[in-house]
Amino acid sequence: MAQRFDVTERFADGAQYIGGRLRAGTSGRRHAVVDPATGAELLGYEPAGPADVDAAVTAARRALPGWAGATPGERAGALHRFADVLAERAGDLARTETAQCGKPIRLSTEFDVPGTIDNTSFFAGAARHLEGRSAGEYSADHTSYVRREPIGVVGSIAPWNYPLQMAAWKVLPAIAAGNTIVLKPSELTPLTSLMFAQAASDAGVPDGVVNVVSGAGEDAGEHLVGHPSVAMTSFTGSTPVGRRVAEIATRTVKRLHLELGGKAPFLVFDDADLEAAVHGAVAGSLINAGQDCTAATRAYVQRPLYEAFVAGVADLMTTVRPGDPFDPATDLGPLISHAHRDRVADFVDRARSYATVVTGGAAPAGALAEGAYYLPTLLTGAPQDSEAVQREIFGPVLVVLPFDGDDEGLALAGDTPYGLAASVWSRDVYRTGRATRELRAGCVWVNDHIPIVSEMPHGGYRASGYGKDMSAYSFEEYTQVKHVMSDNTAVARKDWHRTVFGGR
Ligand code: NAD
């Protein structure tokens, strides 16, 4: 595969977006954005160091009073225009996302980009609905009301699996609520986050409201999290890095929002539609090559359907076509990097000692060998406490286990530290009702797995973190609530003063 995409001219001024313009980093190092389908370098850039983070925070602080003071209608107007600019650039955004991530162009075109535009439209509308819940005389002598206010400068850190959507999930609720933001995308995939910030400026969002620092986690990331002028840290990434981020953020008592890893169960009861469950499991485990925090990773199938489910999934997986991500016929692109592909392969290779590799378990040969590809892989026979069942592999690997009674299935589904998403498959409304009540996860699908909508919250339980992305619920994260209590009596010596002055 030849290199099909040239971004060097677009980012000739650098890969940092600070105060409304692109500029180079000053860390003195060099990073490369690599096309994982070919291993070819798309862009070499100087990553952000602490001085660049400081500059971006300064730009965000300068922009804060004007943006926080804009009316909701003014902010909504800018966000509506922002959605329009993104729509005009949809093809360009999709191609760049595919080039830097290796995700199939169908996925970028039909999911990542329209999802981002829809999110932008949603927050344009939601910006006018920032509500305090109550106002009234809760004490006879006072009127109380609630103001919902921006927090300040938000520092956000995002992963590489859906770079554009993650930028949108972080930036939009923050700025819709009147905050300004410094976003640090993954150093592997900064390109569409930079384009997203440029589109905001081109739509009339004032310079400095959205800034992007492209750099490594250990220096640019930690400096942003620890920065005393950053009022809130919003992080999406793995659970181990989330713990580190939480430790640093705690030192400056920041508002903290953590969207972390997942290991979603896929629970199939014996009355489920088998064809639907098989298709759901293959699509839910292979979307984005399995690099999805909500991907179906552990299928628990009630014994009467188990053999047929395993056979159906194995058959269907072999029909999934790996290939050039820019070919519209490709179903499965490469993983994000060769290093990550090797990590996934190591998980599967270790599993050979305790489980059966029913299909996959290898990188494809031939024309795709130079890319970071890994074939759709189905494992059976893995014990519940094995790492293939317990740890996040983040690749195209599905583990299937049998269960007997409903209680056992629900217990196994709940038996990992994670709690981001889950799905339950059954035609029995009482079974699905019980499962949706008892599964401890931020999202539970019934007879489906993966779809998301801008109006509904996304976020985890337990080791998957806390806080919500998308939906009006995310305003809880990006605003602070102020109680204003105003005296109605105009009396100098108020009745309650007796508790201090006695009868005097
Ligand atoms: P990661 O945790 O390695 O990195 C995420 C981000 O954190 C990157 O920008 C990275 O540069 C930065 N980072 C790394 N070390 C840091 C440090 N010490 N201080 C500050 N920042 C640091 O995750 P990844 O490999 O980029 O992404 C995959 C992970 O993201 C998976 O665990 C996946 O489940 C998770 N994820 C979660 C959600 C969700 O909504 N819960 C969504 C997408 C991805």
Side-chain angles (χ1 to χ4, degrees):
M1 271 177 272
Q3 184 179 337
R4 301 136 291 196
F5 209 71
D6 190 354
V7 294
T8 46
E9 199 175 319
R10 171 177 289 156
F11 297 107
D13 291 335
Q16 316 301 326
Y17 193 74
I18 298 174
R21 68 180 182 90
L22 281 173
R23 53 190 248 190
T26 62
S27 63
R29 290 195 302 278
R30 189 176 186 280
H31 276 183
V33 181
V34 172
D35 175 351
T38 61
E41 182 174 307
L42 285 170
L43 182 75
Y45 70 97
E46 188 160 353
D52 306 301
V53 172
D54 289 345
V57 171
T58 300
R61 285 183 67 184
R62 282 208 191 102
L64 185 64
W67 186 246
T71 64
E74 288 164 344
R75 289 200 291 265
L79 287 171
H80 279 300
R81 290 192 296 278
F82 186 10
D84 290 343
V85 173
L86 291 170
E88 285 160 17
R89 299 176 187 179
D92 205 7
L93 285 162
R95 285 189 294 278
T96 310
E97 195 74 324
T98 283
Q100 69 174 351
C101 302
K103 63 177 74 199
I105 191 71
R106 248 189 296 133
L107 183 64
S108 303
T109 307
E110 295 175 22
F111 182 63
D112 298 75
V113 173
T116 299
I117 296 167
D118 188 65
N119 236 260
T120 311
S121 298
F122 171 80
F123 280 106
R128 303 185 88 157
H129 294 277
L130 277 169
E131 290 167 352
R133 261 182 225 116
S134 46
E137 287 67 49
Y138 302 96
S139 130
D141 294 342
H142 303 87
T143 294
S144 286
Y145 59 92
V146 167
R147 290 173 54 85
R148 193 172 274 279
E149 300 182 343
I151 294 175
V153 175
V154 176
S156 282
I157 296 183
W160 45 255
N161 60 338
Y162 292 103
L164 178 62
Q165 293 206 82
M166 292 303 106
W169 289 15
K170 296 288 167 219
V171 168
L172 294 168
I175 67 171
N179 303 281
T180 58
I181 189 165
V182 177
L183 169 72
K184 194 202 82 62
S186 166
E187 59 275 34
L188 302 177
T189 55
L191 304 183
T192 49
S193 301
L194 293 163
M195 292 166 72
F196 186 72
Q198 285 178 309
S201 297
D202 294 346
V205 174
D207 291 348
V209 172
V210 182
N211 307 278
V212 177
V213 288
S214 311
E218 295 70 24
D219 57 355
E222 295 203 2
H223 193 68
L224 181 61
V225 176
H227 202 293
S229 299
V230 171
M232 169 179 175
T233 294
S234 150
F235 172 82
T236 298
S238 62
T239 299
V241 176
R243 284 198 188 97
R244 170 84 183 133
V245 164
E247 279 170 20
I248 299 170
T250 302
R251 292 179 204 150
T252 41
V253 197
K254 287 182 170 51
R255 171 79 66 95
L256 192 54
H257 167 112
L258 296 175
E259 297 288 350
L260 307 180
K263 188 76 185 176
F266 185 102
L267 184 59
V268 184
F269 289 115
D270 56 11
D271 65 327
D273 177 336
L274 181 65
E275 188 189 356
V278 165
H279 279 80
V282 174
S285 61
L286 298 186
I287 185 166
N288 209 32
Q291 302 165 121
D292 183 306
C293 51
T294 63
T297 56
R298 305 176 283 138
Y300 297 95
V301 185
Q302 211 154 18
R303 195 82 60 180
L305 292 188
Y306 177 75
E307 297 292 342
F309 181 89
V310 169
V313 168
D315 277 355
L316 197 57
M317 276 187 168
T318 58
T319 68
V320 170
R321 294 160 299 189
D324 176 353
F326 278 92
D327 181 346
T330 291
D331 300 320
L332 187 83
L335 299 180
I336 189 65
S337 65
H338 289 74
H340 185 56
R341 193 268 312 274
D342 293 347
R343 180 182 169 276
V344 170
D346 286 349
F347 263 106
V348 176
D349 289 343
R350 288 193 297 273
R352 293 179 206 279
S353 67
Y354 59 79
T356 303
V357 180
V358 179
T359 187
L368 301 181
E370 63 184 359
Y373 289 86
Y374 199 73
L375 290 172
T377 299
L378 177 62
L379 300 179
T380 58
Q384 174 68 17
D385 63 358
S386 62
E387 66 166 11
V389 177
Q390 293 292 323
R391 290 182 58 196
E392 194 177 33
I393 300 175
F394 226 56
V397 180
L398 178 67
V399 190
V400 186
L401 295 91
F403 70 93
D404 290 305
D406 288 19
D407 290 351
E408 184 194 2
L410 284 163
L412 290 169
D415 175 32
T416 74
Y418 295 106
L420 189 58
S423 67
V424 52
W425 297 74
S426 166
R427 293 180 166 102
D428 180 339
V429 68
Y430 297 103
R431 274 177 146 173
T432 59
R434 177 182 174 200
T436 54
R437 285 192 301 278
E438 293 188 9
L439 288 168
R440 290 183 298 153
C443 173
V444 180
W445 290 283
V446 178
N447 295 322
D448 210 340
H449 195 113
I450 290 295
I452 50 175
V453 287
S454 299
E455 291 81 356
M456 286 291 137
H458 171 97
Y461 283 24
R462 302 189 288 148
S464 294
Y466 45 79
K468 298 297 174 195
D469 282 328
M470 303 203 294
S471 82
Y473 288 94
S474 61
F475 284 142
E476 306 289 338
E477 315 294 315
Y478 292 97
T479 55
Q480 47 202 347
V481 164
K482 180 183 282 173
H483 171 207
V484 180
M485 194 172 196
S486 179
D487 172 58
N488 293 336
T489 63
V491 170
R493 302 185 66 166
K494 301 188 195 317
D495 193 38
W496 73 266
H497 292 178
R498 276 181 297 133
T499 58
V500 179
F501 300 118
R504 288 170 282 134

